[in-house]
Amino acid sequence: MKAFFDSDIWWSFRSSPVTVISAIVAAVCVFGAMLASVIAPHNPFDLASLQLMDAFKPPSWEAEGDPVYVLGTDDQGRDMLSAIMYGARVSLMVGFCAVVFSTVVGVTVGLVAGYMGGKVDSLLMRIADIQLTFPSILVALLVDGVVRAAVPREVHDQIALFVVIFAIGVSNWPQFARTVRGSTLVERNKEYVQAARVIGLSPLRIMRSHVLPNVMSPVLVIATLNLSFAILSEATLSFLGVGVPPTQPSLGTLIRIGNDFLFSGEWWIAIFPGIALIVMVLSVNLLGDWLRDALNPKLR
């Protein structure tokens, strides 16, 4: 622990006020989302506790506001603050799981392509190139549509969360694959890899134990930046109505619901979830930018 606090990374972190503030904001977002069931004022998805007479209440600081509902309520009488906390939990979970999935797939493909070279490298990279020619959100929409068409309608809501995670994850793996491939092409010709070959280690063990630890720095940066992109992708899919089911609304779903009332005076139903999404994504992006600089001595 002492070594960490004496490291250049810690010094870089504490010497950047923007990074420190971003980390605090990101931590508040994460803990607020993860502990929503404990600290949220209401459970917005408990139908028995909803009061339709409380629908469309404005924020508490407005003339008709109610102090019980700090950020107002939506068309069903759900507390917006609580709905945002629960929705952020879904958005973060989908984004994190999608990034883990794309990282595992991309790192594996990149390691194999870079280490094996030849036809294997050409085949895998051409597949990645083909996918990179399409926008990620279009790939996610295509995957989501194909899966929904292939399974019975009655199980759509049950697998919707997993479909969204898979759709977003499978659309982002080429970035990891190309980065890891480039680093592996450099590492495979170094003396420690050649020594491992000489003593008879298998290619799988060399890739896992020797090459992989030395190519992870750029992967961590890409994963952090991709987390914000994955959250935005999930919000986009949910806004279009093909994301998570209405029974598990995310920030994108809340924004879509609020958009129906944006021009009828109930602005808070869309604005507050939108602000929460912007703050969460911006804080993660700023942390990713700092991590990129901190792990690259040339950018310090």
Side-chain angles (χ1 to χ4, degrees):
M1 183 64 70
K2 185 178 183 301
F4 172 76
F5 288 112
D6 291 336
S7 65
D8 291 341
I9 293 180
W10 174 249
W11 179 88
S12 173
F13 175 79
R14 63 186 177 87
S15 62
S16 173
V18 173
T19 304
V20 173
I21 294 173
S22 299
I24 294 173
V25 172
V28 170
C29 292
V30 171
F31 283 109
M34 295 300 102
L35 300 176
S37 57
V38 178
I39 64 177
H42 307 273
N43 183 352
F45 309 123
D46 181 8
L47 298 180
S49 66
L50 296 181
Q51 297 291 335
L52 291 179
M53 297 299 294
D54 291 334
F56 298 122
K57 283 190 175 294
S60 60
W61 58 84
E62 293 204 351
E64 299 179 2
D66 188 336
V68 176
Y69 305 111
V70 179
L71 299 183
T73 61
D74 64 3
D75 59 319
Q76 300 180 40
R78 296 183 297 192
D79 175 45
M80 288 306 303
L81 176 59
S82 302
I84 289 172
M85 295 173 70
Y86 276 84
R89 178 165 62 179
V90 176
S91 296
L92 282 170
M93 182 181 66
V94 171
F96 179 78
C97 292
V99 168
V100 170
F101 176 78
S102 57
T103 301
V104 172
V105 174
V107 169
T108 302
V109 172
L111 273 176
V112 173
Y115 187 83
M116 301 301 293
K119 294 182 178 180
V120 173
D121 180 25
S122 297
L123 175 62
L124 294 176
M125 287 303 100
R126 295 301 76 75
I127 295 175
D129 289 341
I130 292 172
Q131 182 164 330
L132 285 172
T133 59
F134 298 96
S136 298
I137 192 65
L138 181 60
V139 175
L141 282 170
L142 176 63
V143 172
D144 183 85
V146 169
V147 173
R148 287 175 182 270
V151 300
R153 183 178 296 273
E154 56 269 16
V155 300
H156 280 185
D157 285 352
Q158 301 174 20
I159 66 171
L161 204 62
F162 302 101
V163 173
V164 173
I165 292 172
F166 176 76
I168 297 174
V170 81
S171 66
N172 291 328
W173 69 265
Q175 302 176 43
F176 294 91
R178 294 189 67 84
T179 301
V180 171
R181 171 188 175 269
S183 300
T184 303
L185 288 174
V186 176
E187 296 295 327
R188 73 175 185 177
N189 294 319
K190 291 187 176 180
E191 293 181 354
Y192 73 93
V193 175
Q194 296 176 1
R197 290 175 183 155
V198 169
I199 63 176
L201 295 182
S202 65
L204 180 61
R205 184 172 179 183
I206 294 174
M207 287 188 286
R208 184 184 69 246
S209 303
H210 297 276
V211 179
L212 180 60
N214 290 288
V215 301
M216 285 303 294
S217 292
V219 171
L220 293 176
V221 176
I222 297 175
T224 304
L225 294 173
N226 265 265
L227 176 59
S228 59
F229 178 80
I231 293 172
L232 283 176
S233 297
E234 183 280 323
T236 303
L237 292 174
S238 296
F239 184 83
L240 295 174
V242 295
V244 296
T247 54
Q248 295 178 301
S250 66
L251 292 177
T253 308
L254 295 176
I255 295 172
R256 176 172 60 83
I257 294 172
N259 187 61
D260 296 335
F261 306 98
L262 187 60
F263 297 105
S264 62
E266 292 81 17
W267 53 268
W268 59 88
I269 302 177
I271 295 299
F272 289 134
I275 292 174
L277 180 63
I278 292 172
V279 169
M280 187 163 57
V281 170
L282 181 60
S283 63
V284 173
N285 255 334
L286 290 174
L287 283 176
D289 288 340
W290 163 78
L291 190 62
R292 179 196 59 196
D293 297 342
L295 296 179
N296 188 348
K298 295 180 181 180
L299 297 177
R300 291 178 189 169

